[in-house]
Amino acid sequence: MSIKKISKKDIGKLLEEWSCERTVFLPSKDSGVTEMAKWDGKDTSFLEWYRNTVVPAKSSFLPPMEEMFTFYKNNDGYHLELSPDQQKRIVFGIRPCDARAIAVIDKVFTDSYEDPYYVSKRKNTVLVGLSCTSPYDSCFCTSLAVKPAESPDVDLMFTDIGDEFLVEEITDKGKELMTAASMVKKTTSADEAKLKTIRATVSGKVSRKVDTKDITKKLQASFGDKAYWENVAAKCISCGVCTLLCPTCYCFDICDELSKKQGTRYRRWDSCGFSIYTRMPVENPREDKWRRVRQKVCHKYEFYPMNSEVIACTGCGRCIRLCPVNWDITQVLASVPAQQVAKK
Ligand code: SF4
Ligand code: SF4
């Protein structure tokens, strides 16, 4: 893997060069909530304040709400007009935890059925990672094998080493982007030594730990323990924040907006935490709150790993930071009983 470097003062110019070919998205708080937003062509001040976005970068591929197609009826029958997003883009500044989350949901949207809306955006995007140097108290990524200052899940990986960024070319897509960049410099052995130190230091800053050994088996064993799950769910107010803003949650709902003989079909984020989630014609399969909370935990730590051998949580800590009642998944994981209980 090749490593290059670029002065911090040249970042604006680099982004400008990239914007000739692609739309650049980077961390912004212009909307009032930190998220990846279209670059205005000037402002790079996020480099001073950015720790991580509130809205995870999954929104670049699975937006909170997106138009799927419009339809209308005339004398010839029904007609559909698809609106695929073919925009070429760069998402700059994604943290390794959120890049891992994209890898988790890539599988969902490509495995047995290729979702054209997700896949077209994903294929046209270059992911540029930015090493995390200031994790939150709520982060526990290192317990999930995510390294805060390196990532195999991006195309390019930037690490702040002071007045410069080191740039690792992870994929051919990333390499191509750097080959065309004009202000790139060669690295020295001292730069690479700095990179090693930064990686070790920042990993050490992630102090929250979760023991994931046998967690899938423990959850299987405690699945039917109603008293345990009722206790776990007691303070949850079912606001859905921990799922909507979780980078590995991907549930969506479909809705139509109709006017006379035409309409638009949208899809939008949904949450298994809501009492009306997957409401069937007769009933909701998870009417009790404890069953919905159990679903949220078990989907990430039991069902997804059983199918894909990967835990669908990256330890980004959002569900801890953003929960209005301080529900804490790390406390839940530490408290899962190991005894065998009949399934309900
Ligand atoms: S953010 Fe907290 S209160 Fe809201 S659904 Fe999640 S656990 Fe419940
Ligand atoms: S479950 Fe919580 S810590 Fe894990 S990926 Fe989702 S928001 Fe992040």
Side-chain angles (χ1 to χ4, degrees), residues 181-289:
S182 62
M183 0 28 205
V184 173
K185 297 184 276 185
K186 283 188 181 162
T187 50
T188 63
S189 50
D191 293 328
E192 291 182 26
K194 268 189 203 170
L195 181 61
K196 269 191 187 162
T197 310
I198 288 168
R199 283 177 175 168
T201 310
V202 71
S203 280
K205 286 185 190 172
V206 181
S207 53
R208 191 182 280 251
K209 304 282 177 213
V210 168
D211 182 5
T212 57
K213 189 170 175 287
D214 293 333
I215 192 68
T216 298
K217 281 187 198 151
K218 279 159 86 181
L219 285 167
Q220 279 173 329
S222 63
F223 193 82
D225 190 341
K226 182 173 179 238
Y228 168 72
W229 287 107
E230 277 180 335
N231 189 40
V232 163
K235 69 179 175 183
C236 169
I237 55 170
S238 303
C239 69
V241 162
C242 58
T243 40
L244 297 174
L245 294 177
C246 169
T248 62
C249 278
Y250 49 81
C251 287
F252 58 80
D253 193 12
I254 303 272
C255 61
D256 289 345
E257 271 188 9
L258 302 170
S259 84
K260 296 195 176 159
K261 291 184 176 174
Q262 59 188 27
T264 307
R265 176 157 294 182
Y266 295 96
R267 74 170 164 192
R268 57 188 180 193
W269 290 353
D270 200 355
S271 165
C272 61
F274 296 149
S275 58
I276 56 168
Y277 177 77
T278 62
R279 188 187 285 279
M280 303 300 172
V282 182
E283 62 172 5
N284 176 347
R286 288 185 216 107
E287 265 178 5
D288 306 312
K289 184 176 66 172

Side-chain angles (χ1 to χ4, degrees), residues 97-98 101 138-140 144 241-243 245-249 296 300-301 311-322 327 329-330:
C97 54
D98 289 348
S138 46
C139 296
F140 57 104
L144 279 310
V241 162
C242 58
T243 40
L245 294 177
C246 169
T248 62
C249 278
K296 171 178 69 181
K300 295 180 184 308
Y301 281 86
I311 290 175
C313 167
T314 66
C316 75
R318 280 186 184 83
C319 57
I320 301 168
R321 286 195 290 287
L322 303 173
W327 189 89
I329 194 166
T330 59

Side-chain angles (χ1 to χ4, degrees), residues 87-238:
Q87 188 182 37
K88 286 189 154 199
R89 42 179 136 190
I90 291 172
V91 174
F92 184 92
I94 188 168
R95 297 300 190 196
C97 54
D98 289 348
R100 174 62 50 82
I102 301 284
V104 167
I105 58 177
D106 277 353
K107 236 177 157 16
V108 176
F109 286 97
T110 56
D111 237 14
S112 41
Y113 173 75
E114 199 165 278
D115 182 290
Y117 300 94
Y118 180 93
V119 169
S120 65
K121 290 193 269 299
R122 187 71 181 90
K123 278 190 179 154
N124 282 317
T125 300
V126 182
L127 277 184
V128 181
L130 185 56
S131 289
C132 177
T133 49
S134 172
Y136 295 93
D137 290 345
S138 46
C139 296
F140 57 104
C141 59
T142 49
S143 298
L144 279 310
V146 173
K147 297 178 180 171
E150 51 195 299
S151 173
D153 306 306
V154 293
D155 298 299
L156 288 173
M157 188 70 199
F158 277 54
T159 301
D160 185 340
I161 56 162
D163 293 333
E164 291 160 322
F165 284 108
L166 291 188
V167 187
E168 293 161 85
E169 296 174 339
I170 314 285
T171 66
D172 289 346
K173 236 179 175 180
K175 196 172 179 174
E176 203 180 307
L177 207 60
M178 286 311 282
T179 309
S182 62
M183 0 28 205
V184 173
K185 297 184 276 185
K186 283 188 181 162
T187 50
T188 63
S189 50
D191 293 328
E192 291 182 26
K194 268 189 203 170
L195 181 61
K196 269 191 187 162
T197 310
I198 288 168
R199 283 177 175 168
T201 310
V202 71
S203 280
K205 286 185 190 172
V206 181
S207 53
R208 191 182 280 251
K209 304 282 177 213
V210 168
D211 182 5
T212 57
K213 189 170 175 287
D214 293 333
I215 192 68
T216 298
K217 281 187 198 151
K218 279 159 86 181
L219 285 167
Q220 279 173 329
S222 63
F223 193 82
D225 190 341
K226 182 173 179 238
Y228 168 72
W229 287 107
E230 277 180 335
N231 189 40
V232 163
K235 69 179 175 183
C236 169
I237 55 170
S238 303

